Amino acid sequence: MNETVTEDSRFSRLRVLFCAFFRISMVAVGGGLTMLPLIEAEFVEKRKWMTHEEMVDIVAVVQSMPGIIGCNMSVAIGKSIGGIPGIFAATLGMAMPPFVVIVLIAMCFLNYSDAAWLNDAFLGVRAAICALFVLAALKLGKSVLKTPFPIVLFVIAFLILVLFPQLNAVWVILGGAAAGLIKYFCFPAKGEKK
């Protein structure tokens, strides 16, 4: 970030990072990708602290890294918005709700594990998570699939994942990176340097 940030505004950004990731982490059940529409709404659309392109780049990097996607995303976005202190604020905000929820569930789950109402509640949560995945894919698709090259890669990757579900997605990601490098070095666009 190139803008000058005063101490008050820096503290304000850290507070917002913590509170936003705390809120998002509380409601985004299902992992990092379910958080994507909420994170984008907060930091790209509402606060305009990031662009759609920066968000797409962060998601691409985070998905190719080992570890928990939500925590990796909080680290990357925290660093982008608030530097090293931003990493700690965003990650702490991300980690607190699941920690508390897991402790509470562990304390209560044994007593209610056979309850039909609980199974139905989890079924509803899983359906909502599927909707969040689709929404994240549609939003990312709008900002990425603008030219023939990414559209063709998308179709190929989708077909590979559908036809070979046992294939680890890492190979598809690495294949996409390799295709991008081949395009860059063999067929550079006008203005691109090798």
Side-chain angles (χ1 to χ4, degrees), residues 148-166:
F149 179 72
I151 292 171
V152 169
L153 276 182
F154 163 77
V155 170
I156 291 170
F158 180 79
L159 289 174
I160 288 171
L161 290 170
V162 168
L163 297 174
F164 305 101
Q166 71 281 5

Side-chain angles (χ1 to χ4, degrees), residues 52 56-57 138-147 149-151:
H52 285 286
V56 168
D57 290 343
L138 290 174
K139 283 191 169 193
L140 282 175
K142 283 182 185 177
S143 60
V144 173
L145 303 175
K146 294 180 179 179
T147 62
F149 179 72
I151 292 171

Side-chain angles (χ1 to χ4, degrees), residues 23-54:
R23 260 191 336 270
I24 290 167
S25 183
M26 280 184 61
V27 298
V29 179
L33 293 180
T34 61
M35 298 174 181
L36 185 58
L38 303 172
I39 290 171
E40 187 173 23
E42 181 72 31
F43 297 113
V44 174
E45 295 165 9
K46 179 180 176 185
R47 300 192 184 278
K48 305 207 182 313
W49 287 353
M50 301 177 72
T51 65
H52 285 286
E53 290 75 21
E54 289 172 325

Side-chain angles (χ1 to χ4, degrees), residues 12-97:
S12 175
R13 281 189 176 216
L14 295 177
R15 184 177 45 77
V16 168
L17 275 169
F18 173 83
C19 293
F21 274 102
F22 187 91
R23 260 191 336 270
I24 290 167
S25 183
M26 280 184 61
V27 298
V29 179
L33 293 180
T34 61
M35 298 174 181
L36 185 58
L38 303 172
I39 290 171
E40 187 173 23
E42 181 72 31
F43 297 113
V44 174
E45 295 165 9
K46 179 180 176 185
R47 300 192 184 278
K48 305 207 182 313
W49 287 353
M50 301 177 72
T51 65
H52 285 286
E53 290 75 21
E54 289 172 325
M55 179 62 77
V56 168
D57 290 343
I58 284 177
V59 170
V61 169
V62 162
Q63 285 199 308
S64 63
M65 295 170 51
I68 302 167
I69 291 176
C71 284
N72 290 346
M73 201 172 296
S74 68
V75 168
I77 292 172
K79 172 73 169 91
S80 175
I81 292 173
I84 300 296
I87 292 172
F88 290 107
T91 305
L92 185 61
M94 177 67 68
M96 282 182 67

Side-chain angles (χ1 to χ4, degrees), residues 62-139:
V62 162
Q63 285 199 308
S64 63
M65 295 170 51
I68 302 167
I69 291 176
C71 284
N72 290 346
M73 201 172 296
S74 68
V75 168
I77 292 172
K79 172 73 169 91
S80 175
I81 292 173
I84 300 296
I87 292 172
F88 290 107
T91 305
L92 185 61
M94 177 67 68
M96 282 182 67
F99 176 77
V100 172
V101 168
I102 287 170
V103 168
L104 292 174
I105 288 174
M107 290 171 28
C108 300
F109 192 70
L110 291 176
N111 295 332
Y112 299 106
S113 62
D114 292 332
W117 64 269
L118 185 61
N119 291 330
D120 287 345
F122 280 124
L123 180 64
V125 167
R126 288 192 297 267
I129 289 169
C130 290
L132 286 172
F133 279 137
V134 170
L135 179 62
L138 290 174
K139 283 191 169 193

